[in-house]
Amino acid sequence: QVQLVESGGGSVQSGGSLRLSCAASGSTFRYYSVGWFRQAPGKEREGVAASNSDGSTDYAESVKGRFTISQDNAKNTLFLQMNNLKPEDTAIYYCAATPGYRSWWSLLSPNSWNYWGQGTQVTVSS
């Protein structure tokens, strides 16, 4: 069983930056696909950035060039660096993990991920 705990959320002004962390226990990220998702009030959960077990990554169009996903396998921690934040980035952010490789077309889908964190709130004011 894998437990995921997010941290690093908060309130920032438009144009600011935040770095989210997702600490995993119970297994290693090395052979997992991992991802970041978000859910704004009244909206469905959507994929933000994900890294496949082979190291390939994918980003939602809305965050390309602003967000970067990375991981420290030694510390079993996943990161999401978020720069130039916009009010529309306001949401609860969740990390997720699943063992093995995911089809590229499903990497940003919130479906069929085995493990989820509890979420961390990100609020961006204009």
Side-chain angles (χ1 to χ4, degrees):
Q1 189 73 11
V2 175
Q3 292 80 42
L4 304 176
V5 179
E6 302 98 334
S7 61
S11 297
V12 295
Q13 290 190 327
S14 183
S17 297
L18 284 173
R19 189 192 196 202
L20 304 184
S21 299
C22 173
S25 60
S27 187
T28 176
F29 270 159
R30 178 167 296 182
Y31 306 111
Y32 278 63
S33 295
V34 291
W36 287 98
F37 298 81
R38 67 187 180 187
Q39 188 164 17
K43 295 188 177 181
E44 294 186 352
R45 190 170 298 189
E46 63 175 358
V48 175
S51 177
N52 220 326
S53 60
D54 66 353
S56 59
T57 58
D58 199 9
Y59 293 88
E61 285 296 325
S62 60
V63 306
K64 281 183 179 178
R66 300 189 297 122
F67 290 12
T68 303
I69 187 172
S70 63
Q71 59 192 87
D72 184 335
N73 290 331
K75 296 182 178 179
N76 231 20
T77 302
L78 179 68
F79 302 101
L80 183 68
Q81 178 67 44
M82 305 187 294
N83 298 327
N84 191 21
L85 283 160
K86 303 176 181 181
E88 51 263 42
D89 295 318
T90 295
I92 299 175
Y93 283 71
Y94 301 88
C95 63
T98 194
Y101 183 82
R102 288 178 67 94
S103 300
W104 66 266
W105 50 265
S106 73
L107 199 53
L108 290 179
S109 168
N111 298 323
S112 303
W113 290 83
N114 292 54
Y115 307 105
W116 289 89
Q118 82 290 347
T120 186
Q121 177 70 47
V122 172
T123 303
V124 185
S125 58
S126 57

